[in-house]
Amino acid sequence: MRSNVSSLKEDPTPRPVTITPELAEDLLSRTAVNRRLDMGVVDFLAETIRRGEWQLTHQGIALDGPLESGSLVDGQHRLYAIIKADTAVRIFVFEGLSRSAFSVLDTGKRRSGADALSQTGEKYVTLFSSTIRHVILFKTVPELPWSGIRARVTNDRTLKEYNANTERYRDSIAVGRNLSKQIFTTPTAAAAGYFLTTEAAPFAPVEEWIDGLVSGANLKAGDPRLALLKVPRDPRRRGTKKRFDSKEQMAIYIKAWNSWVENEAVVNLRLKKGEKMPIPIELKRANGTSERRSEI
């Protein structure tokens, strides 16, 4: 039976090409149809290129004719990113794509970090993905909003972080799920907070910290763990009806941890207006024991 699929000669022809910043500028000068430029997307892709995370995939650029003379139909954000990163990358170029195809480009669902982690066999891939994302954002853009295109984390970066710290993330997920039942934070905020604080202070008596939060028994007034337990489940920003987001929940968790490590008495845990994200206190081992002082 004869196929009704177009012959290969009539189809757009893809081929991998090294696109330099100079070639990117030339191609952009031949733009035929394109969406409005989103500089957030450009910045995100440029950072991906700078970090060496760019990979050759089927997603490339498309022209309505040959590379040397065709007009650009799709791929302007990738080309602007190449220019901004000032780095050449390998990318598939589709030559001979009809301009009428523009209306159906990029209409599919973008794969999430959880989708990328599904291949690992982990049970809580969504929680793994969100925890890893929060850890990366804490380390890279602690003072910027953690929403929007500028806060996107590539799936490749998520997988690399997971593979580099698999066991620590597994432990953090287990602790985060448990602590979220005791304190006001989400499992993501608790897991990310636990990961970051124990990374900074690997020799701190973590079991003592966790036991105090889980049982709440015999905690003296001023103990930061008691203050953390007393933060209401539905905390609101002062003067608003908006709840604390996961970034702010992490900040409160880290503040409590820092005070506990430093033996500082705390009665009420709160975030001041404009307060920066606290940095977990580093606690190194000294003479075979933790440097943390005696209990409050």
Side-chain angles (χ1 to χ4, degrees):
M1 182 173 64
R2 176 178 289 184
S3 169
N4 60 1
V5 178
S6 300
S7 66
L8 185 61
K9 291 182 179 180
E10 296 173 341
D11 290 334
T13 305
R15 61 185 173 106
V17 177
T18 298
I19 303 294
T20 63
E22 294 74 23
L23 179 53
E25 289 184 353
D26 177 51
L27 292 170
L28 286 168
S29 71
R30 294 186 257 137
T31 300
V33 288
N34 254 312
R35 70 187 72 185
R36 185 174 61 181
L37 188 66
D38 185 333
M39 288 307 299
V41 174
V42 173
D43 292 341
F44 173 76
L45 294 175
E47 285 302 314
T48 300
I49 294 172
R50 290 192 186 104
R51 291 194 300 265
E53 295 176 2
W54 182 271
Q55 294 190 40
L56 180 67
T57 73
H58 67 287
Q59 295 176 310
I61 64 173
L63 307 167
D64 65 0
L67 178 64
E68 295 76 16
S69 59
S71 296
L72 183 68
V73 177
D74 184 46
Q76 66 165 347
H77 287 87
R78 296 179 181 92
L79 294 175
Y80 274 109
I82 291 170
I83 295 170
K84 184 161 188 175
D86 195 25
T87 304
V89 300
R90 293 281 284 175
I91 192 169
F92 268 108
V93 176
F94 290 77
E95 300 170 284
L97 184 72
S98 171
R99 295 189 186 186
S100 64
F102 178 75
S103 62
V104 297
L105 293 174
D106 294 330
T107 56
K109 183 179 182 295
R110 184 169 62 89
R111 288 181 174 84
S112 67
D115 293 331
L117 289 172
S118 62
Q119 62 184 286
T120 65
E122 297 289 354
K123 185 176 181 180
Y124 304 105
V125 291
T126 300
L127 182 52
F128 266 93
S129 174
S130 61
T131 299
I132 291 171
R133 175 177 177 273
H134 278 65
V135 168
I136 291 174
L137 292 177
F138 176 89
K139 293 181 176 181
T140 56
V141 288
E143 302 307 326
L144 295 181
W146 290 0
S147 60
I149 186 65
R150 294 178 184 275
R152 267 182 59 188
V153 174
T154 64
N155 293 346
D156 183 59
R157 196 173 187 186
T158 297
L159 280 170
K160 284 182 178 179
E161 178 67 14
Y162 167 82
N163 289 328
N165 298 286
T166 302
E167 291 304 321
R168 292 196 60 241
Y169 275 111
R170 284 178 182 158
D171 290 343
S172 298
I173 296 302
V175 171
R177 294 182 69 244
N178 187 24
L179 284 185
S180 66
K181 301 173 185 177
Q182 317 299 328
I183 60 178
F184 78 102
T185 64
T186 63
T188 293
Y194 178 85
F195 182 98
L196 292 163
T197 52
T198 54
E199 181 180 60
F203 299 106
V206 179
E207 295 80 5
E208 182 182 329
W209 164 261
I210 298 297
D211 289 344
L213 290 174
V214 172
S215 70
N218 302 318
L219 298 182
K220 300 177 182 178
D223 192 311
R225 293 170 294 179
L226 184 60
L228 186 56
L229 285 168
K230 288 183 177 180
V231 177
R233 281 278 173 184
D234 187 16
R236 309 272 178 166
R237 294 193 188 98
R238 183 175 296 181
T240 74
K241 294 182 179 181
K242 191 173 182 180
R243 300 179 185 181
F244 286 129
D245 59 24
S246 56
K247 179 181 179 182
E248 292 164 320
Q249 293 172 10
M250 281 177 58
I252 292 176
Y253 179 96
I254 293 171
K255 284 187 69 171
W257 166 269
N258 285 349
S259 295
W260 183 72
V261 169
E262 292 286 278
N263 288 312
E264 296 175 351
V266 176
V267 176
N268 295 310
L269 277 168
R270 63 185 62 180
L271 291 178
K272 299 177 182 177
K273 186 176 181 180
E275 184 175 357
K276 292 184 177 181
M277 173 66 78
I279 305 300
I281 290 176
E282 293 187 9
L283 194 64
K284 299 179 180 179
R285 196 167 187 172
N287 299 322
T289 61
S290 169
E291 291 180 355
R292 184 174 182 272
R293 300 189 298 277
S294 60
E295 284 293 309
I296 295 173

